[in-house]
Amino acid sequence: MAGVGRISLLIDSPLRTVWLAFRGLEPEVRKQITSHTKRIAEPVWQETTREHALSRLQQRVLAGTSRVGVSGLSVTLRAGGGGRLSSGTPTSQLSHAVAFGASPNKQQRVPAHSRKGHPVRAHTRRLGTRFNPPRRGGYVVFPAAREVIPRMASLVVQTTIRTVHELREKVGR
């Protein structure tokens, strides 16, 4: 599945060799590898999303919330998750429109109370031009992921080999 951003281990590659070796390691060694991988991968992902975010809204909603999850040898790149804007709006509510754009004529329902909690007449309004026009490939996260996935694959291989090598040297002494 090329569009999903996954790398197949069905072909003979260094990733497949590392994955097979990783499965045979002790749990403590695997834990060290995943923690080292996360520590190195998260700044790379955050910097790449920051480079692709052009507007302040993209910076705050997508680049500011970019995180990396590592479990086993699986690296999950996330953006647009937790956090709130200064207006109190959760970033997760805006992340799709900021990442992929939105039609300016789309109707949005306004709640029946103000930010301060005072009752207001509920109504709908146009979304307006605060978001980019819709784009299937996205503006920030997908282009950043296309750029960073090969780097992450290389990082996983290097980190695994380096950690196993360092542990062998430590045991050999």
Side-chain angles (χ1 to χ4, degrees), residues 62-154:
L62 299 174
T65 61
S66 59
R67 301 286 179 263
V68 172
V70 181
S71 62
L73 289 180
S74 174
V75 179
T76 306
L77 306 173
R78 299 183 189 104
R84 292 184 178 274
L85 298 178
S86 59
S87 66
T89 306
T91 55
S92 59
Q93 278 186 345
L94 298 174
S95 62
H96 189 271
V98 173
F100 297 102
S103 172
N105 294 324
K106 182 178 177 183
Q107 295 290 316
Q108 179 183 30
R109 183 163 174 75
V110 178
H113 58 278
S114 69
R115 281 190 224 161
K116 294 184 178 182
H118 301 295
V120 181
R121 185 178 62 96
H123 61 283
T124 59
R125 65 177 181 198
R126 284 181 47 244
L127 196 55
T129 58
R130 67 189 80 148
F131 302 112
N132 291 331
R135 182 190 290 175
R136 176 177 265 179
Y139 287 94
V140 179
V141 179
F142 281 16
R146 268 192 298 278
E147 183 179 314
V148 86
I149 285 175
R151 291 174 64 189
M152 291 295 166
S154 174

Side-chain angles (χ1 to χ4, degrees), residues 15-31:
L15 273 176
R16 180 177 168 83
T17 306
V18 167
W19 179 70
L20 291 171
F22 184 83
R23 289 175 46 196
L25 295 174
E26 295 177 19
E28 186 60 37
V29 177
R30 286 187 285 193
K31 187 177 177 182

